[in-house]
Amino acid sequence: MSDALQFLISGLVVGSIYGLIGVGFTCIYNVTGIVNFAQGDFAMVGAMSAIALQSAGAPLWLAIILAILITCVVAAVIERGAVQPVRGDVMRGIIVTIGVGVVLQGLAAIIWGTDAQPLPAFSGEKLIRFFGATLVPQSLWVLGTAVVAMVALDLLFRRTYLGQMFRACAMNPFAARLVGMKVETMSLVGFLMSGALGAIAGIVVAPIALTQYDTGLQLGIKGFVACIVGGFGGPVGAAAGGLVLGILEAFATGYVSSGYKNAIAFTLLLGFLLFRPGGLLGEYERVRG
């Protein structure tokens, strides 16, 4: 029983990370219609920036704030310099984001090196025992951050005028312009939000898992799978997909073998694309929307 609880907790923590990355995907998709395959690299940039700043002597809280701002600037530069010129062509936009991800990984390797690096835990490392299972305090930071971010994004997209503008720009940019919406500005806001969410995800997980230049690739793939499983375009769907993926991976690793961890992600991806492309909450999201 304690083993199952341990795997469940581990799955929820890992799934929360995947969900946070997935929510970052929705920020850009909901305003541009583009799937940003550099989303995982935003997490890497945020984590590596925080680690570098903290190592240089900055207090942890200041390093975190500056790292989020740095990632937002990177996201804004990418939106203005790479995505905006091809706006209106979703396929070219997606290809551009793949190339941007490769460039970010190369720059990270040059700037910070290729060695994996740690970030200090936010509130100590004394283990917490819970009905026979154990978890580190940083896991609570991961879970809490994921819940707050996902709820806030869901409320933003569904209950605010800004969220409605996001969705209008994605559904019909021409019509949005006719009614006075600044589509280009909304796209920039979407990238800024996505960059901030990616940085937060990378920073909260950095004390648990070492970070290096190519960490974002794996996180981006898992975040994309989370969106497909839960239903693309909605924060709730991305969160649900991330949790499902994280829990399945944890139980497969614990009861079968860690070698099946990535196979589960790709099996889920293919299965949902073939048999339920709308994801688990696709119909639910459509009804609510």
Side-chain angles (χ1 to χ4, degrees):
M1 177 62 186
S2 61
D3 287 344
L5 181 59
Q6 184 69 61
F7 298 147
L8 177 61
I9 292 174
S10 299
L12 289 174
V13 173
V14 175
S16 297
I17 298 300
Y18 297 159
L20 270 175
I21 300 295
V23 170
F25 273 101
T26 66
C27 288
I28 293 177
Y29 180 80
N30 277 343
V31 68
T32 65
I34 292 174
V35 178
N36 174 31
F37 282 100
Q39 184 61 38
D41 296 297
F42 288 167
M44 178 273 296
V45 170
M48 293 301 292
S49 298
I51 292 169
L53 290 165
Q54 197 271 336
S55 299
L60 183 58
W61 64 270
L62 180 60
I64 291 172
I65 293 174
L66 292 176
I68 294 172
L69 293 176
I70 289 171
T71 311
C72 288
V73 170
V74 171
V77 170
I78 291 170
E79 196 277 339
R80 291 287 123 162
V83 175
Q84 195 60 241
V86 299
R87 181 165 177 77
D89 189 329
V90 172
M91 184 56 66
R92 288 179 64 192
I94 292 173
I95 294 172
V96 164
T97 64
I98 294 173
V100 165
V102 174
V103 171
L104 287 178
Q105 290 172 33
L107 290 175
I110 294 171
I111 296 172
W112 295 302
T114 56
D115 293 334
Q117 301 177 44
L119 183 69
F122 296 177
S123 51
E125 298 180 355
K126 185 178 180 180
L127 294 177
I128 300 172
R129 302 196 180 281
F130 181 73
F131 292 104
T134 58
L135 67 162
V136 295
Q138 191 65 30
S139 299
L140 299 180
W141 280 97
V142 173
L143 291 169
T145 302
V147 170
V148 171
M150 292 166 189
V151 171
L153 262 295
D154 186 61
L155 292 175
L156 172 70
F157 284 132
R158 299 191 180 282
R159 302 295 176 86
T160 68
Y161 182 64
L162 179 63
Q164 294 174 359
M165 291 173 66
F166 270 127
R167 298 165 71 88
C169 291
M171 293 172 66
N172 193 327
F174 179 73
R177 285 193 182 91
L178 287 180
V179 296
M181 295 183 187
K182 297 183 181 301
V183 177
E184 290 75 16
T185 301
M186 296 305 298
S187 173
L188 179 60
V189 173
F191 266 82
L192 288 173
M193 292 172 55
S194 178
L197 279 170
I200 291 170
I203 290 169
V204 294
V205 76
I208 299 176
L210 297 177
T211 306
Q212 58 191 44
Y213 74 100
D214 61 350
T215 300
L217 177 62
Q218 192 76 357
L219 287 175
I221 292 173
K222 297 299 177 64
F224 177 70
V225 174
C227 288
I228 295 297
V229 171
F232 223 108
V236 175
L243 292 178
V244 169
L245 177 59
I247 291 171
L248 286 177
E249 282 189 352
F251 275 90
T253 300
Y255 285 121
V256 186
S257 169
S258 59
Y260 290 96
K261 184 177 178 181
N262 291 329
I264 286 176
F266 290 113
T267 301
L268 282 175
L269 177 63
L270 289 175
F272 273 88
L273 286 176
L274 289 172
F275 302 109
R276 192 174 173 82
L280 291 173
L281 301 181
E283 297 298 325
Y284 173 68
E285 295 285 342
R286 189 160 58 194
V287 170
R288 291 185 69 194

